[in-house]
Structure formats: structure tokens, C-alpha cells
Amino acid sequence: MKRTIVFCLLFYSMFVSAQDSIVVNLKGKWFFGGEVGKNTIRSYELGESANSFQAGLLAEYYFSKHWSVVGRIKYFKIGASFNTNDFIIFPNKTRYNFGRFNGESITIPVNLKWEFAIYKNFRGYLKLGSGISIETKSEYSDYTPEITENFKSYYLNFNLGYGLTYFVNKDSALYLDAEVFAGGSKGKQDGLFIFGDGSKVLVNEMINLGYKRIF
């Protein structure tokens, strides 16, 4: 996340010399736009190439001065890999588990967003939500026999993030944010688990650069 903080600071410095503050009454406004950026798969454990391109479309409705609902359609690559031994509790219990999954998905997240003023035309925000992911590509390889490959190609995910918005004028804005998607089991990592059941969950971290405007 250190890189993300640096990117946000750079984004801020690009426009810190903005002339006059723009007074924007956001309540009741609809914004539409698009975003592109970097996708990093965090559910790889075996050294696979984790970085790729991702993109999405956005619709946002402000139901109050500082709160909005954001719906998006995003495309990004997904993946998971694991290589584990059982935690030995009973004799002859040890097993060796391995699996690798590579894929792509169309994800439709819906977020509740809280936006707050920072300086002049800059606003920060936090967002939290959930959505559904639909796999458009699913490749399983090297799974041990104990692990079935009958995993769902659609599933719910959890999504949270934070970012910075710069209002160019009353009708349009640029934004930069960082977010995490987590959801969709692709196997079991046998062992001793105090929390959860050992499911191997898909995790993606993203940096988005976007533009939105009122239409």
C-alpha cells in the first residue's frame, strides 16, 4: 500500500495550484464514467506473475451531500495457487496439497461511498460494498486428487477502498483510488485453522484512475 499512498500524493500535487474552489451541490446528481488501472493478484503463493491491466465503467448517484451509491462493471484477471502440508495432529494424517487456478472475470460491485472535503476542489472518500463476479475464463491445473475442481464460476465478493477526487468543474471530476476485492473459493489448504475453514479465496488489489461527469 506504500505505492498507493505515493500515487495519491502525486495526484494531489498535480492540481494543488488550482485557482478557485468549485462549489458543487452533489445531492441528487448522477455521474457516469470509466476507470483503468493496475490489478495485482494477492492469492498467488508460488511466484506467478501477479500484475495485469484492469478496466471498468461507473455509475454514481449522490443521495446526500457526502454520501453516494456507486455501481460498476469491471474486468480483471483472477488467480490462486497454494502448496501446503497438513498440520500433524494424529498419526498418518499428513497430506500434501497443491493447486493452481488462472482466470478472468466480469465483476459487478456496488459500493456505499462517504466523501469529505480536503482542500479547494479536492475530496477524499472511503467506500465499502459487495458484488457478484462471473468468470469468463477458468483454468485449473495440478490440483491434488483430494481437491475437486467443481468450483462455482460465479460468487459474491467483498470490496473496500479509499481515494481522492478532484473536481475539474461542476460537471466533471478525476479520481484516483486503491481497493481490494476478496471472494470465491478455489480450494482448501489443509491444516490447523483457528479462524475460517482454510478455503483458498481469490484476492485482488487494484489502483484505479478514473473520470466521471454528469450526463
Side-chain angles (χ1 to χ4, degrees):
M1 285 296 182
K2 289 183 179 179
R3 288 184 178 179
T4 302
I5 295 173
V6 172
F7 289 150
C8 288
L9 290 175
L10 289 174
F11 183 73
Y12 178 83
S13 63
M14 287 172 58
F15 300 99
V16 74
S17 60
Q19 296 178 355
D20 299 322
S21 298
I22 297 173
V23 179
V24 183
N25 182 10
L26 295 173
K27 185 176 180 179
K29 300 290 181 63
W30 278 96
F31 283 82
F32 298 89
E35 59 189 31
V36 296
K38 178 184 176 182
N39 170 42
T40 302
I41 299 172
R42 295 300 186 192
S43 39
Y44 283 143
E45 295 182 5
L46 305 178
E48 295 88 347
S49 177
N51 297 322
S52 60
F53 171 81
Q54 54 86 10
L57 299 174
L58 166 147
E60 180 174 9
Y61 175 72
Y62 284 85
F63 59 87
S64 75
K65 186 177 179 180
H66 297 287
W67 293 87
S68 66
V69 175
V70 184
R72 291 175 294 161
I73 301 176
K74 290 187 69 69
Y75 158 82
F76 53 88
K77 292 184 177 181
I78 51 179
S81 63
F82 53 94
N83 188 339
T84 61
N85 285 306
D86 271 353
F87 185 91
I88 303 174
I89 299 178
F90 303 104
N92 303 319
K93 175 72 166 54
T94 304
R95 288 186 302 175
Y96 186 69
N97 275 358
F98 178 87
R100 177 180 285 116
F101 166 78
N102 296 297
E104 300 174 5
S105 77
I106 298 295
T107 298
I108 306 173
V110 178
N111 293 93
L112 179 65
K113 191 179 86 173
W114 173 58
E115 194 169 274
F116 52 92
I118 296 180
Y119 176 74
K120 290 188 176 181
N121 304 334
F122 288 92
R123 299 187 179 197
Y125 61 84
L126 303 173
K127 60 182 181 179
L128 176 69
S130 183
I132 186 169
S133 290
I134 303 170
E135 293 175 10
T136 58
K137 179 181 178 180
S138 306
E139 295 180 349
Y140 296 87
S141 61
D142 304 319
Y143 271 70
T144 50
E146 292 84 1
I147 305 176
T148 67
E149 298 179 12
N150 299 320
F151 303 110
K152 293 182 178 180
S153 60
Y154 58 91
Y155 39 82
L156 293 177
N157 58 63
F158 175 74
N159 172 235
L160 60 85
Y162 61 93
L164 184 67
T165 299
Y166 172 75
F167 281 89
V168 180
N169 53 48
K170 293 183 178 180
D171 296 327
S172 61
L174 297 169
Y175 63 91
L176 177 69
D177 71 26
E179 63 180 340
V180 176
F181 286 89
S185 175
K186 293 300 174 183
K188 293 279 189 178
Q189 293 177 278
D190 290 330
L192 179 64
F193 296 95
I194 299 175
F195 301 103
D197 60 358
S199 293
K200 182 61 181 179
V201 176
L202 299 173
V203 179
N204 291 71
E205 288 183 3
M206 298 184 196
I207 297 175
N208 302 302
L209 176 62
Y211 173 77
K212 63 181 183 180
R213 65 170 289 118
I214 296 174
F215 285 98

